[in-house]
Amino acid sequence: MGFEFVYSSKLEAAVNWARKFSLFSYPFVTACCGMEYMSTAAPKYDIARFGSEFPRFSPRQADLLIIVGTITERQGPALRRIYEQMCEPKWVIAFGVCASTGGFYQNYSTMPGADQVVPVDVYIPGCPPRPEQVLDALIMLQERIQRGEGHSQIAMRVDQGFDVPAASVRPISRITEHGEKAKVK
Amino acid sequence: MAQLVLDRLLAQFGGGEIIKTGSQHGNEWARIRPDAWTAVCTFLRDDPTLSMEMLTDLTCVDRFGDEPRFDVVVHLYSVSKKHRVRLYGGVPEENPLIDSLVPLWPGADWPEREAYDLYGVRFAGHPDLRRLLMYPEFIGHPLRKDYPKEKRQPLVRRQAGSLD
C-alpha cells in the first residue's frame, strides 16, 4: 500500500502537473514588499492566470509560503512554526531582497535571509520586485514543481526510501533557470 | 523661544542642579544633575508659568569614551504655553541608573523600556522594566557603541545540508 507507484511512473508527472496549477499561497507579509504583493494579486497583474489566485490565511490550508518582507531574528520561531504547520508537499518563495538575503540591513535584529530557518525554492530579487518578476518567479516555481525538484518533494522521496542523486537537485540559481528557459524558446 | 523656561529653572534651582544650559537652532536645552532629575521634572510639570504637560520623547545617547557615558534625553512640551525644552541627564557606565519619569508622565513607560532594552540604562521606580523590542533571550544591549556590528543572536537556524 501507499503511494510509491506515484513516483515511479508517468503518474508522477500528472500529479505534479495538477500541483503546479493549484497552488494555495500563504502570504507571510511583514514589510513594504506587501504593497507589491497586493498589486500582483490584484486584477491588473492577475496571478489567477497561473492557478495561484487563492491566498489562504491559515498555513494548514496552504502549500505555498510567500515570505514578503524583512524577517527579524525575533520572527524566526514564528516563521519556522508556520512552515511546519503546512502540509506536504510545500514550497517557499522569498519575495524581495530582505526575505532573500536581509537586503540592506546588516544589524543585530535582521535575519540574513529567510532561508536561515526555512528552505526557499525560489528567490525574487528587487526592493521591491515588480509584479512581473513575481509572476516570473511563479512560473519558475511551477517548472520546478513539474520536475519534482522542490525541497519538500525531494524530502518526501527520500523519506519513502527512493534514491535521490544529488545531481538531480538543480541549483536555485535564477540565471541557470533563465538560461534554460531562453534555450527552450 | 523658550528662554523663559531656562530662566525659571535657573531661578528655582540655584544649588548646582542645573549643570549647564544652552540654545541651539531655537531649541533650549539644560543639563540636569541626575540626582535632581525628578525634582526638576516635577517643577517643570507643576509650575503654573511652565506647565509642561506633555513628554514628547525620551531616549538615550551613548557618548562612548566620554564621562558620563550615557545621556538620557527628554523632550518636554507645554500644550497650553506652547514652549518646549530638552533635558539631558548624565548616567555613568558602571551604575547606569536614573529616576523613572513614569510617575510624572505615564507616557514615559515604553520609551524608558526601549532605552533600557537598547542601551541598558535602568530607571528607578519604573513599574515594569522589561525589554520592549528585543526578545527576552537576547544578551546585551545592541545600540551600545561597543556592541559588535556583526553579532547576531539567532533563536532558530536550519541545520546545514538539510532538505528541510
Side-chain angles (χ1 to χ4, degrees):
Chain A
M1 289 299 285
F3 290 94
E4 289 87 355
F5 64 92
V6 166
Y7 299 107
S8 57
S9 72
K10 290 274 183 193
L11 192 55
E12 183 187 358
V15 168
N16 284 343
W17 178 86
R19 280 171 179 162
K20 77 174 181 180
F21 288 121
S22 64
L23 288 169
F24 282 40
S25 56
Y26 177 82
F28 189 84
V29 181
T30 58
C32 34
C33 275
M35 300 294 159
E36 219 64 16
Y37 170 77
M38 292 173 214
S39 177
T40 313
K44 182 171 180 183
Y45 291 96
D46 194 17
I47 204 166
R49 288 176 288 166
F50 303 96
S52 176
E53 76 273 33
F54 207 17
R56 308 303 302 173
F57 295 103
S58 162
R60 290 159 199 268
Q61 299 168 357
D63 56 7
L64 170 60
L65 176 61
I66 307 181
I67 303 167
V68 186
T70 322
I71 302 298
T72 59
E73 293 291 0
R74 196 176 185 170
Q75 283 169 332
L79 179 60
R80 180 72 207 173
R81 195 182 174 90
I82 282 172
Y83 178 77
E84 284 168 356
Q85 282 178 347
M86 292 165 63
C87 291
E88 287 178 337
K90 51 195 171 185
W91 299 274
V92 181
I93 287 180
F95 186 120
V97 279
C98 287
S100 301
T101 67
F104 56 68
Y105 296 105
Q106 188 186 21
N107 59 25
Y108 56 91
S109 64
T110 306
M111 186 179 290
D115 54 2
Q116 303 277 322
V117 291
V118 294
V120 174
D121 288 295
V122 179
Y123 300 83
I124 311 175
C127 183
R130 285 196 53 82
E132 292 90 333
Q133 283 175 271
V134 183
L135 299 180
D136 188 26
L138 189 71
I139 296 168
M140 269 192 240
L141 181 69
Q142 287 180 334
E143 290 167 359
R144 217 175 149 79
I145 294 170
Q146 180 68 71
R147 294 194 302 258
E149 289 174 2
H151 279 99
S152 101
Q153 286 171 296
I154 293 168
M156 280 168 73
R157 258 182 286 171
V158 171
D159 282 349
Q160 288 169 0
F162 283 82
D163 228 13
V164 179
S168 76
V169 184
R170 296 181 190 219
I172 317 159
S173 160
R174 191 180 165 78
I175 296 153
T176 317
E177 301 263 7
H178 255 305
E180 210 171 17
K181 208 156 61 177
K183 253 188 285 174
V184 171
K185 281 178 184 170
Chain B
M1 289 289 278
Q3 190 60 40
L4 165 86
V5 180
L6 296 185
D7 293 343
R8 286 284 297 156
L9 270 183
L10 289 167
Q12 178 72 18
F13 295 96
E17 288 91 342
I18 314 295
I19 296 169
K20 202 177 174 188
T21 61
S23 176
Q24 197 175 28
H25 308 302
N27 291 311
E28 279 64 35
W29 57 268
R31 181 170 285 283
I32 313 294
R33 212 171 64 198
D35 58 334
W37 190 241
T38 304
V40 170
C41 287
T42 310
F43 174 73
L44 283 167
R45 188 189 66 165
D46 294 340
D47 186 70
T49 58
L50 299 180
S51 59
M52 299 286 191
E53 299 99 351
M54 188 163 124
L55 180 133
T56 321
D57 192 18
L58 185 147
T59 183
C60 185
V61 181
D62 183 1
R63 304 191 189 279
F64 188 58
D66 286 359
E67 202 53 49
R69 177 171 168 183
F70 299 104
D71 269 339
V72 174
V73 187
V74 173
H75 294 247
L76 298 178
Y77 180 63
S78 170
V79 181
S80 51
K81 304 290 191 297
K82 304 212 185 324
H83 52 222
R84 57 183 83 234
V85 72
R86 186 163 75 238
L87 305 180
Y88 292 100
V91 180
E93 183 178 0
E94 57 272 15
N95 182 26
L97 185 70
I98 196 165
D99 284 343
S100 170
L101 296 183
V102 177
L104 299 176
W105 294 280
D109 187 345
W110 281 22
E112 286 185 354
R113 279 178 63 186
E114 186 188 18
Y116 162 70
D117 186 359
L118 302 179
Y119 291 94
V121 174
R122 284 176 291 117
F123 294 88
H126 192 285
D128 182 25
L129 198 61
R130 284 179 294 134
R131 287 186 179 277
L132 180 69
L133 299 170
M134 305 310 293
Y135 31 97
E137 296 87 348
F138 197 88
I139 297 164
H141 302 284
L143 284 194
R144 286 190 173 191
K145 291 262 166 73
D146 52 359
Y147 186 88
K149 181 168 74 77
E150 305 287 335
K151 187 175 175 186
R152 299 228 166 66
Q153 300 187 29
L155 292 171
V156 281
R157 279 289 184 267
R158 281 170 69 201
Q159 290 181 350
S162 73
L163 280 166
D164 196 352

